[in-house]
Amino acid sequence: MILHYYPGNASLLPHFMLREIGRPFELRLVDRTRNEQKSAEYLQLNPGGLIPTLVDGSLVLFETAAIALHLADKYPDAGLAPPFGSSDRAQFYKWMVHLTNTPQAEFRAWFYPHEHVSDEAAAPSVKAAAEIRLQAMFARIEAQLGEGPWLLGERFSAADLFLFMLIRWGRSMEVPPRSRAGLMALAERVLERPAVQETLAAEGIESPFV
Ligand SMILES: N[C@@H](CCC(=O)N[C@@H](CS)C(=O)NCC(=O)O)C(=O)O
């Protein structure tokens, strides 16, 4: 398997999972400083020119959540998702879909506000509004964590790795997700995982992680 990645990008989730799974894989840097995600070669794999892409034999996959669900399904022994057909599995789907189509999508407006305006002068206002929506999203997620410690209660899953990545992305927000005790507790537990530490080191990501 080959993961096309850039440090700290959405590729972080499948990278965490590949290290949790513990099988050999190759990391291939998509150098964003040279806009390689828009190169003709990369667009063949990922027509949107976005990171990540997973190549698994003849299978080429884009969309972070799809890659994560595929890895969880393919390697059930890694315990990254609850058993098929269980209520926990349904909750797992709920969180994976929610995280990708709500906060992850909103983060695009926050990171790339210029893509959401016709007048460049409006970009700061779009970013500020995205931040307010993100804060509300993180507050709702924290409220639903309840006793936790994980999104699925007692059971760790790839959804927690996904949430960790989003908490990290928000670290320079005015009210960062880490300022919410429940989210910080989850992030600290995720950081205790050896696979997570290995991933962060391999990507050259240093503390503070969130
Ligand atoms: N929905 C896509 C979004 C991926 C995405 O936005 N990736 C960002 C990095 S986190 C990217 O490639 N940005 C570079 C660009 O927009 O050119 C996914 O989850 O795979």
Side-chain angles (χ1 to χ4, degrees):
M1 276 191 289
I2 303 167
L3 178 66
H4 295 259
Y5 86 110
Y6 188 78
N9 280 200
S11 41
L12 198 53
L13 172 61
H15 191 180
F16 284 146
M17 293 179 72
L18 285 164
R19 289 190 190 265
E20 290 276 352
I21 289 162
R23 295 197 174 221
F25 65 93
E26 189 189 319
L27 279 177
R28 215 167 275 180
L29 181 72
V30 185
D31 191 351
R32 284 190 57 184
T33 64
R34 299 169 55 203
N35 218 28
E36 272 179 12
Q37 76 276 18
K38 306 295 186 214
S39 68
E41 196 188 342
Y42 188 71
L43 289 174
Q44 299 239 316
L45 301 174
N46 188 318
L50 298 172
I51 296 163
T53 303
L54 181 79
V55 179
D56 181 2
S58 60
L59 173 70
V60 179
L61 263 190
F62 57 85
E63 283 299 338
T64 309
I67 294 169
L69 292 172
H70 168 65
L71 290 174
D73 285 355
K74 186 161 176 177
Y75 299 103
D77 292 349
L80 295 168
F84 284 108
S86 63
S87 299
D88 275 355
R89 183 76 173 202
Q91 295 290 351
F92 171 69
Y93 289 142
K94 177 192 80 180
W95 280 117
M96 294 299 282
V97 172
H98 179 73
L99 294 177
T100 194
N101 76 10
T102 306
Q104 189 194 356
E106 192 67 44
F107 264 118
R108 276 210 65 100
W110 190 69
F111 279 123
Y112 312 92
H114 54 278
E115 289 182 355
H116 296 257
V117 295
S118 51
D119 171 5
E120 192 63 32
S125 157
V126 165
K127 189 175 176 79
E131 173 145 353
I132 289 167
R133 283 192 299 270
L134 279 166
Q135 284 176 18
M137 288 170 191
F138 281 114
R140 280 197 299 271
I141 292 169
E142 185 189 35
Q144 288 178 73
L145 258 177
E147 295 291 299
W150 306 115
L151 281 169
L152 301 180
E154 292 295 314
R155 189 185 173 114
F156 169 75
S157 75
D160 300 302
L161 297 172
F162 200 158
L163 180 53
F164 173 86
M165 179 176 79
L166 300 173
I167 292 170
R168 173 175 162 73
W169 285 358
R171 66 195 180 285
S172 65
M173 279 168 47
E174 226 160 275
V175 181
R178 70 167 176 278
S179 63
R180 301 182 185 282
L183 297 181
M184 187 58 184
L186 181 137
E188 281 171 341
R189 278 178 181 250
V190 167
L191 281 166
E192 285 168 9
R193 301 183 72 84
V196 167
Q197 285 297 331
E198 284 163 24
T199 305
L200 294 166
E203 295 201 5
I205 295 172
E206 290 173 357
S207 174
F209 301 114
V210 294

